Amino acid sequence: MLQLKDIVKDFGGRTLFGGVNWHIRPGDRIGLCGENGAGKTTLLRMLAGQVSPDGGEVQVARGTTFGYLPQDGLEHRGRSLFEEVRSAFAELLQTEAALARLEAAIAEKHRAEDMDRYATLQEAFRQGGGYTMETEIGKVLRGLGFAESDWERPCEHFSGGWQMRIALARLLLQRPNLLLLDEPTNHLDLPARDWLEEYLSAYPFAVVLVSHDRFFLDQVVNRIVEVWNGSLTEYPGNYSRYLDERDRRVSALFEAKQRQDEEIAKTEAFINRFRYQANKASLVQSRIKQLEKIERIQVPPQRRKIAFRFPEPPKGGRLALELKGVEQGYGELTVLSGVDLAVEKGERIALVGANGAGKSTLMRMLAGVEAPRGGVREEGHNLRLAYFAQDQARVLNPERTVLEEITAAAPFDMVPRVRDILGSFLFSGDDVQKKVAVLSGGERNRLALAILLLRPANLLLLDEPTNHLDLASKDVLLSALKTYQGTLVFVSHDRYFVDALSTRVLEVAGGAVESYFGNYEDFLRSKAARGDTSHSEQRVEQAAVAVPAALSDERQERQLSYEERKEAKKLEKRRQKELSEVEQAIEDFESELAELEQTMADPELYQDQERWREISARHGKLQERIAGLYERWEELQLPESA
């Protein structure tokens, strides 16, 4: 449906794409990955027709419709939410207006031609979904987190994050056959992300997206395209499979580069040794031409990563922090009421709930930044807490340099170590002299996290620490938090992050807080066992193993879920290992088959009947073996597609 041919694009004196060829097929679900600045957003904008290539051609199949969601710059005003989203059905609305005009004409004159025209338009309106239009609008708005009370609100009353949701709702309802999404999960809470995953997984047309949400990519895409060094490299499967395959390919590339370098070194040594010997002149010239023809292998640079560990926490009591009968609100609005919460030593607690439910309010009360208007907050023995607010990066002084900002926050004994800490967070060399004002969102968050490390704490309160971090940085932060020996309470809208880290989930909803042991998947199962599928109805229905309704003990439930996940991981590891072995065997046998077929193409082979029979028999056996391996390969694919 869309093809890039020899695309060249320069940006700011740098070549982003150099002779790129790429093909998007109907029904593809593609995730674009790569370092920040590699050109992912530029590529999306080029596909959408907003950016023109400097060379090459973008070929688009007739009838292709585009829908593009940018990261920012979205604003809707002048209409209510419902009317704005309804405008996605422009053609149907025109048909609806034409039907209304014809109804008036028929009521007045009863002309046969009007009746015929009305019947034709009515059928087109029905087939186009005109009679289910408002139902679809409601489904999408509710899925993206809009309450019905919001539907008549003017669009200009919604903040930036909700403006993005309005744009996304219009795009989904337009149903273009090429959907281009740049960070669609930004500003979405977990229930809305779950809903969007389900919607895109069932979307009947092609989707190309950029996302820093690993779980989202794993659920939605079936192909990863890596943008690197001016080229595009395709990997079949989701993001997790891409990571494994990329490591394998890069390792093979490094080995090939090493072998090539050795061959080049030998050739250059021969040239240098015999360059001035007349009797070796022809050999030297041959080697020189040979060197010129070699296409040098390029290997990707080692990706820079955050590498750090949290300081050893001071010893504290069994109970880190407790809220008793806490109430909080603003003016006449009550956000939380009657909250009882005990945070025990060593727990890793995730707060989940819709945007605006009160998660950040609860975090501020836990941190002591905001006093409750009712109830008691009690600290445990020797509590040392560190609080990372959702807008932590905003409290940085924009006039200071990176080095000045962290030095100002550092205790006296930590000042000599601030450069080392900055280096761990990718601030090295001249980077430390950058003004905070010119840092990107991801750089500001990294600096704020670095400052958090300056003082050892036995309770970390992290409100959206993964905002603006790329996938690699999120993975390293996750690894550091897994090894952290203190207590952790966090808010994150990254499903993979929550699943991998939490030992307890607190749902904040309706002014109350309810506790569920386990991670987010366990939380969904527990909700389903109670008959509540409000968070992710379809995902719960598709869960591989349901929690028995009679199992009421939460500790048993958590242990059961843990064992199930452990066994599933073990089986998946075995499947992936066998799959890799089968793919390697297919590759080896197909190479041998190609060599045999090349031999069989030689007419001289048929002069030797015995050798011909031997090769022919081997050819038949190889074909049978390859066919059997392909059958096994398809069987091994089934768990992934199920």
Side-chain angles (χ1 to χ4, degrees):
M1 63 186 299
L2 187 145
Q3 191 165 5
L4 303 183
K5 283 195 167 183
D6 300 319
I7 293 295
V8 176
K9 183 65 184 177
D10 295 325
F11 189 80
R14 183 167 68 93
T15 299
L16 276 182
F17 302 109
V20 163
N21 292 285
W22 186 34
H23 185 210
I24 300 173
R25 299 179 293 270
D28 274 343
R29 289 187 183 84
I30 300 168
L32 298 181
C33 291
E35 302 283 333
N36 288 340
K40 302 186 294 295
T41 294
T42 301
L43 180 58
L44 274 185
R45 296 184 65 203
M46 194 182 297
L47 295 175
Q50 295 190 0
V51 170
S52 299
D54 297 325
E57 185 181 3
V58 180
Q59 295 183 343
V60 182
R62 185 178 299 172
T64 302
T65 54
F66 296 86
Y68 172 56
L69 180 77
Q71 278 191 47
D72 47 35
L74 298 166
E75 187 177 6
H76 305 85
R77 55 194 315 113
R79 285 191 281 205
S80 69
L81 166 64
F82 192 85
E83 286 302 314
E84 180 66 37
V85 173
R86 193 168 182 261
S87 67
F89 296 100
E91 290 186 15
L92 281 175
L93 292 175
Q94 289 174 5
T95 304
E96 188 177 49
L99 285 170
R101 289 193 297 271
L102 281 170
E103 284 170 1
I106 291 167
E108 184 179 345
K109 297 184 179 179
H110 302 284
R111 288 183 301 196
E113 59 268 28
D114 288 342
M115 297 285 285
D116 291 342
R117 176 66 176 153
Y118 185 86
T120 302
L121 280 180
Q122 189 179 43
E123 180 60 18
F125 188 70
R126 186 190 66 79
Q127 289 187 0
Y131 295 110
T132 59
M133 182 167 43
E134 295 198 358
T135 303
E136 284 298 307
I137 292 171
K139 184 176 79 173
V140 170
L141 287 179
R142 280 189 289 270
L144 291 176
F146 291 99
E148 287 196 33
S149 57
D150 292 330
W151 292 8
E152 296 307 319
R153 284 177 61 194
C155 285
E156 54 266 32
H157 289 184
F158 291 94
S159 65
W162 291 98
Q163 291 284 344
M164 186 279 293
R165 295 194 195 202
I166 295 171
L168 181 56
R170 287 187 77 251
L171 275 185
L172 297 180
L173 290 166
Q174 285 170 355
R175 293 172 74 81
N177 48 30
L178 180 53
L179 193 55
L180 307 166
L181 307 175
D182 198 352
E183 290 289 354
T185 57
N186 277 359
H187 310 292
L188 292 185
D189 52 35
L190 277 168
R193 288 186 186 209
D194 287 347
W195 179 86
L196 184 60
E197 284 165 14
E198 300 291 347
Y199 190 94
L200 292 180
S201 296
Y203 194 70
F205 307 115
V207 180
V208 181
L209 61 90
V210 175
S211 178
H212 287 159
D213 187 321
R214 175 172 176 165
F215 190 91
F216 186 79
L217 287 171
D218 274 350
Q219 295 298 314
V220 173
V221 307
N222 55 26
R223 249 200 311 162
I224 293 289
V225 173
E226 183 182 52
V227 184
W228 174 75
N229 196 33
S231 63
L232 305 181
T233 307
E234 290 199 11
Y235 295 83
N238 60 16
Y239 184 78
S240 294
R241 188 164 181 185
Y242 148 74
L243 289 179
D244 294 338
E245 180 64 16
R246 185 187 188 277
D247 287 344
R248 190 185 69 78
R249 287 193 192 183
V250 169
S251 296
L253 202 59
F254 271 101
E255 290 176 9
K257 177 75 164 62
Q258 187 176 358
R259 289 195 297 271
Q260 187 185 71
D261 288 346
E262 289 171 359
E263 287 300 317
I264 289 172
K266 286 179 185 177
T267 304
E268 288 176 341
F270 180 91
I271 292 168
N272 292 332
R273 183 177 179 184
F274 298 109
R275 185 184 295 274
Y276 303 108
Q277 294 186 21
N279 62 337
K280 294 286 197 299
S282 60
L283 287 173
V284 168
Q285 287 303 312
S286 173
R287 295 292 197 282
I288 290 172
K289 288 179 181 177
Q290 184 180 329
L291 268 183
E292 290 172 351
K293 289 179 181 177
I294 291 176
E295 188 172 338
R296 306 296 174 106
I297 295 172
Q298 287 189 318
V299 294
Q302 293 293 323
R303 291 176 169 178
R304 293 202 307 160
K305 289 184 178 180
I306 300 173
F308 73 95
R309 292 178 66 90
F310 284 95
E312 191 71 23
K315 290 184 179 179
R318 182 189 64 81
L319 199 64
L321 191 63
E322 190 170 10
L323 300 180
K324 295 179 180 178
V326 162
E327 180 182 320
Q328 184 61 305
Y330 308 97
E332 296 181 359
L333 175 66
T334 298
V335 179
L336 297 168
S337 178
V339 173
D340 293 309
L341 173 61
V343 179
E344 295 188 6
K345 180 182 178 181
E347 284 195 294
R348 296 202 293 261
I349 299 173
L351 305 186
V352 305
N355 284 348
K359 300 187 298 294
S360 292
T361 299
L362 181 56
M363 288 291 277
R364 288 194 295 272
M365 285 196 297
L366 288 170
V369 171
E370 195 173 289
R373 68 183 185 188
V376 178
R377 173 186 178 272
E378 291 182 355
E379 294 187 355
H381 172 68
N382 195 36
L383 179 69
R384 299 286 185 273
L385 70 81
Y387 172 48
F388 183 93
Q390 193 175 120
D391 58 352
Q392 190 72 24
R394 294 182 185 176
V395 304
L396 302 175
N397 187 336
E399 299 305 315
R400 288 178 179 159
T401 65
V402 169
L403 184 59
E404 289 168 347
E405 184 67 10
I406 194 171
T407 303
F412 180 77
D413 60 332
M414 289 292 291
V415 171
R417 292 188 55 202
V418 294
R419 279 185 176 269
D420 293 336
I421 293 172
L422 286 175
S424 297
F425 281 80
L426 310 186
F427 293 105
S428 56
D430 294 339
D431 291 340
V432 301
Q433 300 303 332
K434 282 183 179 178
K435 291 276 189 182
V436 171
V438 303
L439 299 180
S440 67
E443 288 171 329
R444 289 186 183 212
N445 257 28
R446 293 207 309 268
L447 176 57
L449 281 168
I451 291 172
L452 198 71
L453 292 184
L454 295 172
R455 300 175 188 272
N458 50 28
L459 174 60
L460 286 180
L461 303 173
L462 307 179
D463 195 353
E464 287 289 357
T466 57
N467 273 0
H468 306 294
L469 294 185
D470 60 22
L471 283 158
S473 299
K474 283 182 183 181
D475 283 344
V476 181
L477 175 60
L478 178 60
S479 297
L481 287 171
K482 280 181 174 179
T483 61
Y484 173 62
Q485 297 300 306
T487 307
L488 173 65
V489 181
F490 68 100
V491 176
S492 176
H493 292 159
D494 187 302
R495 171 70 185 273
Y496 181 80
F497 196 83
V498 176
D499 265 344
L501 194 58
S502 60
T503 58
R504 182 153 65 114
V505 171
L506 296 180
E507 182 186 21
V508 184
V513 175
E514 188 166 3
S515 177
Y516 298 82
F517 282 100
N519 62 13
Y520 192 73
E521 191 70 36
D522 299 324
F523 159 70
L524 292 179
R525 287 196 181 105
S526 296
K527 297 275 285 185
R530 299 178 186 186
D532 182 351
T533 56
S534 57
H535 270 250
S536 184
E537 185 171 349
Q538 295 179 51
R539 185 175 305 288
V540 172
E541 288 172 355
Q542 294 166 356
V545 182
V547 178
L551 194 60
S552 59
D553 188 282
E554 288 184 327
R555 291 183 181 274
Q556 286 182 336
E557 183 179 308
R558 183 170 67 164
Q559 183 63 29
L560 175 63
S561 299
Y562 169 77
E563 294 298 337
E564 287 165 355
R565 291 198 305 274
K566 187 176 177 182
E567 183 61 26
K569 284 180 181 177
K570 193 185 295 182
L571 291 173
E572 176 62 13
K573 192 173 180 181
R574 282 188 207 147
R575 188 181 73 82
Q576 290 287 357
K577 183 182 178 184
E578 187 180 353
L579 186 63
S580 178
E581 290 171 352
V582 169
E583 287 173 347
Q584 186 60 53
I586 289 172
E587 187 178 333
D588 293 342
F589 285 135
E590 284 185 338
S591 296
E592 187 179 346
L593 190 69
E595 289 175 8
L596 280 179
E597 287 173 348
Q598 191 172 356
T599 303
M600 292 171 78
D602 184 357
E604 292 185 7
L605 172 65
Y606 300 94
Q607 304 301 317
D608 187 339
Q609 289 295 314
E610 186 177 341
R611 186 161 176 259
W612 176 83
R613 280 194 296 272
E614 181 185 328
I615 288 177
S616 180
R618 177 62 180 158
H619 184 269
K621 286 180 181 177
L622 276 177
Q623 284 184 317
E624 288 178 12
R625 189 72 186 274
I626 290 169
L629 284 169
Y630 268 115
E631 284 181 13
R632 182 58 183 152
W633 183 84
E634 288 177 0
E635 290 171 4
L636 290 168
Q637 292 292 320
L638 286 177
E640 196 168 52
S641 60

